[in-house]
Amino acid sequence: MSRLSSFCAVVLLTCGSAQVLADAASHAADAERFLQLARADKLAVPVYAQVQQMFAQRFAESGTAESKQAILETYQAKANAELDRAVAWDKLKPDMVKLYTSNFNEQELQELVSFYQSPLGQKVLQKMPMLTEKSAQLTQGKLGAAVPKVNKLLAEMSAELESKKP
């Protein structure tokens, strides 16, 4: 009887494991669909642009003649290759899938996919980069007034701490 019980337990565990694997695969597939709709593969594009701009700015600051533009382009290409090794979509995707599957259950991901496939979801995707940029600008604008005051408070605290030293 013990062998039969053991066999049944193994069969149940095997079937249960297969179901868990199937659920995990389905969950991951939903995350991938969402990431595709959200155009997550384009997340690193601003990083590339920022690095390219950084190299161009350094080139311009160096006062090097425009005839040496090939040097700039060579280093920009090398920088792109380094970024490809670090943040290309094939490098980010597995971690992004894990991130989304650990924060959203399968039903939630399916609902996100449905939303982003809808006309409103498509509008959100289209407008989100501009809204994010404008939101950052608004925040920076408001923050500008607070920075000098915060820096003054920081200096005051440092002075007070310095005066309290034994």
Side-chain angles (χ1 to χ4, degrees):
M1 188 68 176
S2 158
R3 283 185 180 167
L4 182 60
S5 295
S6 296
F7 177 73
C8 287
V10 167
V11 168
L12 285 172
L13 286 174
T14 302
C15 290
S17 297
Q19 182 61 41
V20 167
L21 289 174
D23 289 347
S26 175
H27 194 188
D30 288 331
E32 285 187 40
R33 273 194 296 282
F34 167 73
L35 290 167
Q36 182 181 23
L37 283 167
R39 300 178 188 107
D41 61 323
K42 305 290 187 241
L43 286 174
V45 169
V47 173
Y48 283 76
Q50 196 171 20
V51 169
Q52 294 300 302
Q53 184 178 8
M54 187 174 68
F55 275 86
Q57 183 176 353
R58 181 67 54 92
F59 181 81
E61 289 170 356
S62 73
T64 305
E66 287 294 316
S67 62
K68 305 285 186 185
Q69 182 79 17
I71 294 171
L72 169 63
E73 291 169 3
T74 298
Y75 278 93
Q76 286 177 322
K78 288 178 181 181
N80 279 347
E82 288 301 322
L83 291 173
D84 286 344
R85 283 190 274 284
V87 294
W89 181 239
D90 64 322
K91 305 286 190 274
L92 289 176
K93 184 178 171 183
D95 292 330
M96 295 292 283
V97 168
K98 285 180 193 171
L99 177 65
Y100 278 83
T101 56
S102 66
N103 285 281
F104 296 99
N105 66 38
E106 192 167 0
Q107 180 181 347
E108 290 168 334
L109 284 168
Q110 289 170 357
E111 290 174 17
L112 283 168
V113 167
S114 293
F115 172 72
Y116 282 110
Q117 286 175 330
S118 73
L120 179 58
Q122 288 295 302
K123 183 175 183 178
V124 168
L125 287 172
Q126 178 188 15
K127 300 279 185 185
M128 192 55 67
M130 178 272 302
L131 292 170
T132 301
E133 182 181 338
K134 297 275 186 197
S135 296
Q137 289 170 355
L138 287 169
T139 303
Q140 285 291 83
K142 303 283 184 192
L143 193 56
V147 168
K149 294 174 185 174
V150 170
N151 285 337
K152 182 179 180 231
L153 290 170
L154 185 60
E156 288 173 7
M157 183 188 78
S158 295
E160 184 176 340
L161 290 171
E162 192 62 35
S163 72
K164 305 269 186 205
K165 279 188 176 176

